[in-house]
Amino acid sequence: MHFIQPEKHTRRAFLRRAGQLAFTGAALPTALNLAAMGEAAAFNATDYKALVCVFLNGGNDYANTVINYDNASYDQYSAIRGGGANRSAGGIALAQSALTPTRLVPTVALPGGREYAMHPSMTGLAGLFNSGACAVQLNVGPLVVPLTRAQYNSNSAAYPKPPKLFSHNDQQSVWQSSQPEGATTGWGGHIGDLALSSNTNRVLTCVSVTGNTVFLSGDQALSYQVSTGGAVKINALNNNVYNSPNVRAAITQLALQTRTHQLENEYNIVTARAFGAESAIANALTAFPAANAPFNAFPTGNNLADQLKMVARLIAARTQLGNQRQVFFVSMGGFDLHDNLINGQATLMDRLSTALTAFYNATVALGVADKVTAFTASDFGRTLTSNGDGSDHGWGSHHFMVGGAVRGKAFYGKAPPVSVGNSTTDANDQWHVGQGRLLPSTSVDQYAGTMATWFGVQGAEMDGILPNLVNFNSVDYPTNLGFMA
């Protein structure tokens, strides 16, 4: 098995890259962090495709997101979580009767009569599932190699675990980069490296609408940050300074002119690139105002919806901006629900569902539904057991894939047994490591690799994007999970 990451992911490669980029502005402030975009040896796209990562910061509670609905497994879920009808006594199980409107009806029934429903607040996303535009990946999480519970408990070097399990910052980073906190590149950015040559405007290959993120940082592609209102302006170059157009003109000249000093000149090159990108975005978006359809159908008072609306507008402007392959990142927080799980998650699930539903509907209206795939990710799942009013840090979780190219109305992966994993002899506890923490039966590398393949990544290119994927190439752990058409 392969435990060593490709050389591009190592500290040596990072130091070499830092040296190479010392004169291309890579160390400049975040607002200007647009390093030179070189050629990438990659596919040459002739159509448009986009991946949109929707990250749920804090660790979403899997058991109350995709909920056991058939009587047998619901009864187990309810007994462990406190009983849907007994929440006043401290339970955190949802009532089975409340799940009927969000019951999921796959084209092919799950083995053993297993059924699921989404959280009652997720009627929109449940509707997308039942209409074929959404699928559920069951029990996915970071893995270095396939693990059984016995192998996990053995602490053997032959069965390495992901680093720093159950830590928020580290597991966010592992999901996004295969490495703990401190990683400098992510798999979205490495996909962007390969996509650069497909885009006229390479700066907009990887776009974040939620601030800086390692997910979108590649060896050459860097995360371009926009706000929900559009590109972030360099104020001194866009507004009169001291109400004087002459002062503004002087600052613009100083910031953009060619310099004889190498460092100064490189700084100005990056500033000019940022200024040009902002201008290009502002001009392109004028043709797709937020007040016009389909963008005016997004819910208000929902920051995730605001982020996805901006993604939809940028996708609409793809021709004007010269983009054929893009990777986007949006996020929402508040999922670290050690308490107030019932009320807190209801609000979050409503915002997630309505935002993703509006986004999918916008891609349909724009004629690109089969060209855009959105997917969820989170730090980790949570414990099936209750701590009184919430749940604690876990590992595996259930996630959603949404888009016209998704083979929807289906579950992928293995449905985990409903158990807290206290027995070392019970086979039903295979996928638990205590307190109902799921040991993932599908790796993030498999999940990501399936979407990367659809995006256009081929063959050996995958090794530099997902370093552990080579360890998942068996019938039980396929490299491609099959949820993309």
Side-chain angles (χ1 to χ4, degrees):
M1 291 185 177
H2 177 77
F3 302 151
I4 301 173
Q5 296 178 355
E7 198 267 348
K8 70 189 294 183
H9 294 279
T10 65
R11 180 175 180 272
R12 179 185 303 171
F14 168 68
L15 292 174
R16 186 184 68 251
R17 177 173 178 259
Q20 292 170 342
L21 294 180
F23 297 107
T24 57
L28 294 178
T30 300
L32 305 179
N33 194 8
L34 300 169
M37 300 295 184
E39 293 290 336
F43 48 86
N44 291 313
T46 57
D47 59 352
Y48 180 82
K49 286 185 179 179
L51 287 172
V52 184
C53 178
V54 181
F55 205 89
L56 312 179
N57 287 305
N60 183 40
D61 184 273
Y62 76 87
N64 277 11
T65 299
V66 179
I67 304 141
N68 296 93
Y69 183 75
D70 61 282
N71 289 335
S73 61
Y74 177 83
D75 288 346
Q76 293 173 301
Y77 152 88
S78 180
I80 293 170
R81 292 216 128 185
N86 299 317
R87 290 206 302 271
S88 60
I92 58 170
L94 296 165
Q96 189 177 23
S97 59
L99 305 177
T100 302
T102 53
R103 179 191 175 200
L104 303 178
V105 185
T107 301
V108 178
L110 288 168
R114 180 69 66 88
E115 293 186 50
Y116 285 104
M118 287 191 195
H119 190 283
S121 296
M122 303 182 77
T123 53
L125 206 55
L128 290 185
F129 180 98
N130 289 329
S131 67
C134 172
V136 173
Q137 179 63 55
L138 296 168
N139 192 14
V140 57
L143 288 171
V144 179
V145 297
L147 286 177
T148 66
R149 187 179 177 202
Q151 291 165 346
Y152 168 85
N153 288 331
S154 72
N155 292 317
S156 168
Y159 304 107
K161 305 173 188 175
K164 300 184 178 180
L165 283 171
F166 318 128
S167 159
H168 282 295
N169 292 349
D170 292 294
Q171 291 311 299
Q172 288 173 10
S173 182
V174 169
W175 253 95
Q176 297 176 34
S177 70
S178 303
Q179 302 171 76
E181 187 176 22
T184 57
T185 58
W187 58 267
H190 286 310
I191 291 175
D193 286 336
L194 298 174
L196 289 177
S197 59
S198 298
N199 295 331
T200 302
N201 194 332
R202 299 179 181 185
V203 170
L204 302 182
T205 300
C206 296
V207 180
S208 171
V209 199
T210 187
N212 194 31
T213 169
V214 69
F215 175 73
L216 293 181
S217 295
D219 282 332
Q220 298 177 60
L222 296 183
S223 172
Y224 181 82
Q225 298 174 41
V226 301
S227 72
T228 55
V232 178
K233 296 182 178 181
I234 302 174
N235 288 333
L237 304 186
N238 285 279
N239 303 309
N240 289 335
V241 181
Y242 303 121
N243 295 316
S244 170
N246 293 331
V247 174
R248 174 191 173 191
I251 291 176
T252 300
Q253 181 181 9
L254 288 170
L256 304 181
Q257 68 184 189
T258 301
R259 299 296 190 93
T260 56
H261 191 285
Q262 191 169 16
L263 286 176
E264 290 178 352
N265 194 56
E266 291 299 323
Y267 194 101
N268 281 14
I269 287 173
V270 175
T271 303
R273 188 177 294 113
F275 185 61
E278 183 274 321
S279 178
I281 290 172
N283 291 335
L285 290 181
T286 58
F288 304 97
N292 288 5
F295 316 109
N296 58 3
F298 280 77
T300 59
N302 181 332
N303 183 256
L304 180 63
D306 291 340
Q307 294 175 53
L308 287 171
K309 182 195 297 186
M310 176 50 59
V311 173
R313 292 177 68 199
L314 290 170
I315 289 173
R318 64 195 179 280
T319 301
Q320 291 88 333
L321 292 170
N323 295 118
Q324 292 182 302
R325 286 289 189 274
Q326 291 182 284
V327 186
F328 294 93
F329 189 85
V330 298
S331 72
M332 61 185 297
F335 289 90
D336 193 19
L337 293 170
H338 292 276
D339 52 23
N340 196 36
L341 175 64
I342 291 294
N343 293 329
Q345 196 185 30
T347 300
L348 295 170
M349 293 294 98
D350 175 72
R351 291 174 180 169
L352 174 64
S353 177
T354 55
L356 269 175
T357 302
F359 179 72
Y360 173 75
N361 290 338
T363 65
V364 172
L366 294 170
V368 293
D370 63 336
K371 306 297 184 185
V372 179
T373 300
F375 62 96
T376 61
S378 189
D379 318 15
F380 36 62
R382 305 188 75 85
T383 57
L384 184 59
T385 57
S386 170
N387 61 17
D389 192 31
S391 55
D392 296 322
H393 298 181
W395 190 355
S397 190
H398 308 321
H399 284 288
F400 307 110
M401 305 81 75
V402 176
V406 173
R407 292 188 172 108
K409 204 172 183 179
F411 295 96
Y412 294 85
K414 301 179 179 69
V418 187
S419 169
V420 295
N422 289 327
S423 170
T424 57
T425 58
D426 186 351
N428 287 331
D429 287 342
Q430 163 64 30
W431 300 113
H432 297 85
V433 292
Q435 296 181 276
R437 291 186 174 97
L438 292 180
L439 192 166
S441 52
T442 299
S443 74
V444 172
D445 293 69
Q446 294 170 275
Y447 184 59
T450 303
M451 290 180 281
T453 299
W454 168 80
F455 196 76
V457 179
Q458 299 178 13
E461 292 173 340
M462 200 72 77
D463 291 340
I465 294 171
L466 299 164
N468 298 318
L469 187 59
V470 295
N471 298 329
F472 301 91
N473 56 3
S474 66
V475 173
D476 290 332
Y477 293 89
T479 297
N480 192 315
L481 299 170
F483 60 74
M484 298 299 300

